[in-house]
Amino acid sequence: MPTVLITGCDTGLGVEFARQYAADGWRVIATCRSPDNADATQAIEGAVEIRRLDVSDHAAVEGLARDLDGTAIDVLVSNAGIARPHPPFGETDYASWRRILEVNLIGPMKLAETFVDHVARSEMKVMAFVSSRMGSIGLNLTGGSYAYRSSKAGLNAVVRSLAVDLGPRGVCCLALHPGWAKTEAGARVEVETSVGGMRGVIHRASRHHTGTFMTYDDQPLPW
């Protein structure tokens, strides 16, 4: 039975990742900031283990890794993130920006460093990071969203470097854009479609795809 570790399973994409992997017979380690309130995740049938984790709490990340010592993690899905608020220029909330960077950028790096041995000992050896096309500098034609854009652009840079550094260990590192998934009002892409597409990209990936930035529907994005 392959194993997947998914962060941010309290709501939205994380719940759907857990649901789809469990439905396919995987062992799912679903992490949540508040497991007691993660009703949708608790309702998933299958081999699902719910663990408490805030990815900005480095001691907690290390503790989970120790608990899972010896476990081979085929796919690590770094999904936990903060998308809002997006204050305009001149109204920047710097405390909020720091929190976004802690969760969206530094947290995923800590996950990679802490769980690399778990992933490297698996058969698939994939680290997938949920990014956003808003992290693409080349596609930024509308400005704004300084905190969120910078966190995802930074994440993309981290993924690219991880691909180089972890290549000798056979670990494939991917940055994935989920589309404008219907986790918020006005969005267009069904959550099931977004997650199913990202899982397809993950499972088609080989060493030759490491360090790439892809949409959920398998299209490359510019950095």
Side-chain angles (χ1 to χ4, degrees), residues 132-153 156 213 221-223:
S132 170
R133 75 188 302 277
M134 289 183 71
S136 168
I137 294 174
L139 291 177
N140 184 1
L141 303 177
T142 57
S145 303
Y146 294 93
Y148 185 69
R149 286 188 189 278
S150 64
S151 73
K152 293 301 186 179
N156 289 346
F213 183 21
L221 286 171
W223 300 107

Side-chain angles (χ1 to χ4, degrees), residues 41-83:
T41 306
Q42 292 178 17
I44 298 173
E45 297 182 359
V48 180
E49 305 169 29
I50 300 177
R51 306 295 293 265
R52 185 183 302 275
L53 184 68
D54 178 342
V55 298
S56 67
D57 183 341
H58 293 189
V61 173
E62 293 168 359
L64 180 60
R66 287 193 297 270
D67 288 348
L68 297 174
D69 187 40
T71 299
I73 296 174
D74 291 272
V75 177
L76 182 142
V77 179
S78 177
N79 166 72
I82 301 174

Side-chain angles (χ1 to χ4, degrees), residues 86-133:
H86 299 307
F89 179 80
E91 299 178 19
T92 301
D93 182 338
Y94 289 97
S96 175
W97 194 340
R98 291 187 184 94
R99 174 62 180 164
I100 288 172
L101 292 176
E102 284 285 348
V103 175
N104 292 7
L105 173 57
I106 298 172
M109 180 63 184
K110 179 61 177 177
L111 283 170
E113 287 191 318
T114 307
F115 285 95
V116 63
D117 289 339
H118 300 72
V119 174
R121 69 167 54 97
S122 74
E123 183 175 341
M124 289 186 63
K125 298 181 177 62
V126 177
M127 292 185 180
F129 300 82
V130 177
S131 183
S132 170
R133 75 188 302 277

